[in-house]
Amino acid sequence: GAGVSQTPSNKVTEKGKYVELRCDPISGHTALYWYRQSLGQGPEFLIYFQGTGAADDSGLPNDRFFAVRPEGSVSTLKIQRTERGDSAVYLCASSPLAGWGGELFFGEGSRLTVL
Amino acid sequence: SQQGEEDPQALSIQEGENATMNCSYKTSINNLQWYRQNSGRGLVHLILIRSNEREKHSGRLRVTLDTSKKSSSLLITASRAADTASYFCASRPDSWGKLQFGAGTQVVVTP
């Protein structure tokens, strides 16, 4: 597609449930980033991939959060045993090359609400 | 954690006025970028300034960078109602790493 696509756009779940959020980056982009944005705050870095491997996962808050990118394209962010504090908008972004150093191209985000 | 602070947190102006917002960051950078976010939408890149640049222009946008003070400013001239959005600065420590975002400035432009 022309831009970064994220699904679902909205997800409501109950505390303790498992959630998967999907990101389809711009075709050919090798770097993919996940951010989390709480209301009224800036995006908070979670993890980024160069190809299939996680180059930096220092922003993942705890071991309930995990992300994969098995074929170097689509990525899935997985959250186990969701908590109310996980409620946020999860943003995905991609960039053309490793070491690009330039702008990130963002999707519209997946809004997660944990009841 | 956020990389830096943005000032002001909110800004309300009338169409035609200029809007200025400031950003401070904590570590040395390769470049600094500004993004815009309309309510409920994703972020859109506006402008990038490299660490060896002091000022950059793009249309009605002017960005300055002072690496000695670890600060940047974004000026939007002749603002329009369509400029209403949140604006975020993001610093990149090196060309390989992640972007670190500030908390943003919410700008409201009234007709």
Side-chain angles (χ1 to χ4, degrees):
Chain A
V4 177
S5 176
Q6 291 189 246
T7 55
S9 55
N10 277 286
K11 176 71 177 179
V12 181
T13 190
E14 293 180 343
K15 182 174 178 295
K17 299 290 188 183
Y18 169 80
V19 165
E20 288 191 354
L21 306 175
R22 175 188 166 110
C23 174
D24 199 341
I26 293 172
S27 178
H29 280 196
T30 61
L32 184 147
Y33 301 76
W34 283 100
Y35 285 83
R36 176 168 72 172
Q37 186 176 27
S38 299
L39 190 64
Q41 299 296 313
E44 176 189 18
F45 171 78
L46 296 177
I47 184 171
Y48 95 93
F49 291 87
Q50 306 270 33
T52 60
D56 184 347
D57 64 358
S58 61
L60 294 177
N62 51 58
D63 62 5
R64 296 187 298 106
F65 288 75
F66 189 70
V68 294
R69 195 185 185 200
E71 296 178 356
S73 178
V74 171
S75 176
T76 305
L77 178 65
K78 308 180 180 195
I79 311 173
Q80 298 178 321
R81 304 183 304 280
T82 52
E83 300 177 356
R84 292 194 180 88
D86 298 336
S87 295
V89 176
Y90 289 81
L91 295 166
C92 177
S94 67
S95 66
L97 298 168
W100 161 250
E103 67 181 281
L104 300 188
F105 298 80
F106 280 85
E108 296 284 294
S110 292
R111 180 178 298 278
L112 174 66
T113 302
V114 182
L115 302 177
Chain B
S1 62
Q2 308 279 205
Q3 163 69 323
E5 303 284 330
E6 290 187 62
D7 167 50
Q9 291 184 329
L11 182 60
S12 184
I13 57 175
Q14 292 194 317
E15 266 192 329
E17 295 180 337
N18 295 341
T20 300
M21 57 211 87
N22 304 295
C23 162
S24 61
Y25 56 92
K26 296 176 183 174
T27 62
S28 61
I29 59 169
N30 173 277
N31 66 66
L32 187 137
Q33 304 177 27
W34 286 88
Y35 287 78
R36 167 199 167 115
Q37 185 178 38
N38 285 49
S39 181
R41 307 297 298 272
L43 282 81
V44 175
H45 180 263
L46 294 176
I47 194 166
L48 179 154
I49 186 165
R50 302 194 185 283
S51 60
N52 61 353
E53 297 176 311
R54 292 297 167 257
E55 187 171 315
K56 201 162 183 180
H57 297 252
S58 177
R60 294 184 295 113
L61 303 180
R62 172 178 167 252
V63 169
T64 62
L65 180 65
D66 186 336
T67 53
S68 66
K69 295 181 180 178
K70 292 188 170 58
S71 67
S72 174
S73 68
L74 172 67
L75 167 68
I76 305 173
T77 60
S79 62
R80 306 166 182 169
D83 295 328
T84 295
S86 292
Y87 293 81
F88 296 92
C89 69
S91 58
R92 189 186 275 273
D94 54 59
S95 64
W96 293 82
K98 62 207 178 202
L99 273 180
Q100 295 270 47
F101 285 85
T105 295
Q106 188 173 9
V107 175
V108 175
V109 183
T110 53

